[in-house]
Amino acid sequence: MNSLFDFDKNYGNVVGTDEAGRGPAAGGVFAAAVYFPEVTNSLVADLDRLNDSKKLSEVAREKLYDVIIKNSINSVICVDVDEIEKINILNASLKAMKLACENVVQTSKLENFITLVDGNKLIKNYTYSQKYIIKGDGQSAAIAAASILAKVTRDRYMDELAAKYPQYGWNRNSGYLTPEHIKAIDEYGLSEYHRPSFLRKHFEKQKQLTLF
């Protein structure tokens, strides 16, 4: 059996959760939660490439995404830019995880289970049993699956925003501060989808440069 599924077997019923979009300076942050009600040999075979979404190609993620959607109880939540600016990106990420996990628990009617959280933080105000797993997206099948759902959903969302604001190249940089993205910000300013708090240092630097 895939070692990621073996990992989850040690915990019994597992809801895995992960986020995508903590680092970019534009767009919301997404979190997904995944529970596999039945892990069959065919499912393990279909997900034999399951891994941390960042280690997979876009094509591989898209293929795995379809298998995960069909064979799991899942939820994907976006916390938008306004909320990120109000409560900060860490709290926004944890809030998205909390909402996604609660959706899965309520839909699946799970009782005896544990939530495995990617990273080194527990979900705040979450009333169910949970454990954080550092680099969990490379160890747990449920977390890895959640990382793929979050990543694919966010990439599709950024492609949609790129169609509205093509000058920022979000379909290529996903909102990260690449040289192309920074140049566009300096030329066109910020959109409503930018995170001003992520650009404070850049604008302070620009202001300092204009003083000389």
Side-chain angles (χ1 to χ4, degrees), residues 1 7 27 41 44 73 83 91 99 119-120 145 158 185 194 203:
M1 180 174 277
F7 182 90
N41 290 333
V44 173
I73 295 172
E83 188 77 356
N91 286 328
L99 294 173
N120 62 359
M158 291 306 294
I185 289 169
H194 279 102
F203 286 122

Side-chain angles (χ1 to χ4, degrees), residues 15 153 180 205:
V15 174
T153 305
E180 172 196 32
K205 182 179 178 181

Side-chain angles (χ1 to χ4, degrees), residues 17-86:
T17 185
D18 198 4
E19 54 75 28
R22 273 186 65 174
V29 63
F30 284 67
V34 170
Y35 165 63
F36 290 107
E38 186 178 6
V39 178
T40 63
N41 290 333
S42 61
L43 176 61
V44 173
D46 288 342
L47 294 177
D48 64 335
R49 296 190 63 191
L50 188 62
N51 203 342
D52 172 4
S53 63
K54 296 184 291 296
K55 297 180 179 179
L56 299 169
S57 68
E58 181 180 355
V59 172
R61 286 195 298 266
E62 288 284 348
K63 288 181 179 178
L64 291 168
Y65 175 94
D66 291 337
V67 177
I68 295 163
I69 289 291
K70 291 176 183 176
N71 293 277
S72 70
I73 295 172
N74 57 77
S75 175
V76 183
I77 295 291
C78 173
V79 172
D80 64 20
V81 171
D82 287 343
E83 188 77 356
I84 291 170
E85 291 297 296
K86 289 176 183 175

Side-chain angles (χ1 to χ4, degrees), residues 127-192:
T127 59
Y128 304 105
S129 176
Q130 60 176 317
K131 177 182 177 65
Y132 67 73
I133 307 291
I134 296 172
K135 296 183 179 178
D137 46 10
Q139 300 184 67
S140 160
I143 294 178
S147 78
I148 289 169
L149 295 195
K151 171 67 173 167
V152 170
T153 305
R154 187 176 193 278
D155 283 350
R156 292 175 179 177
Y157 156 88
M158 291 306 294
D159 286 345
E160 291 177 5
L161 296 189
K164 186 175 181 180
Y165 291 102
Q167 64 268 36
Y168 299 111
W170 289 335
N171 55 316
R172 296 181 293 277
N173 58 50
S174 297
Y176 285 93
L177 288 176
T178 61
E180 172 196 32
H181 191 183
I182 293 172
K183 183 179 178 182
I185 289 169
D186 289 338
E187 184 173 352
Y188 300 103
L190 300 183
S191 73
E192 70 265 37

Side-chain angles (χ1 to χ4, degrees), residues 15-19 31-34 97 100-101 115-118 123 142-143 146:
V15 174
T17 185
D18 198 4
E19 54 75 28
V34 170
M97 285 181 171
C101 289
T115 300
L116 299 184
V117 184
D118 184 64
I123 300 171
I143 294 178

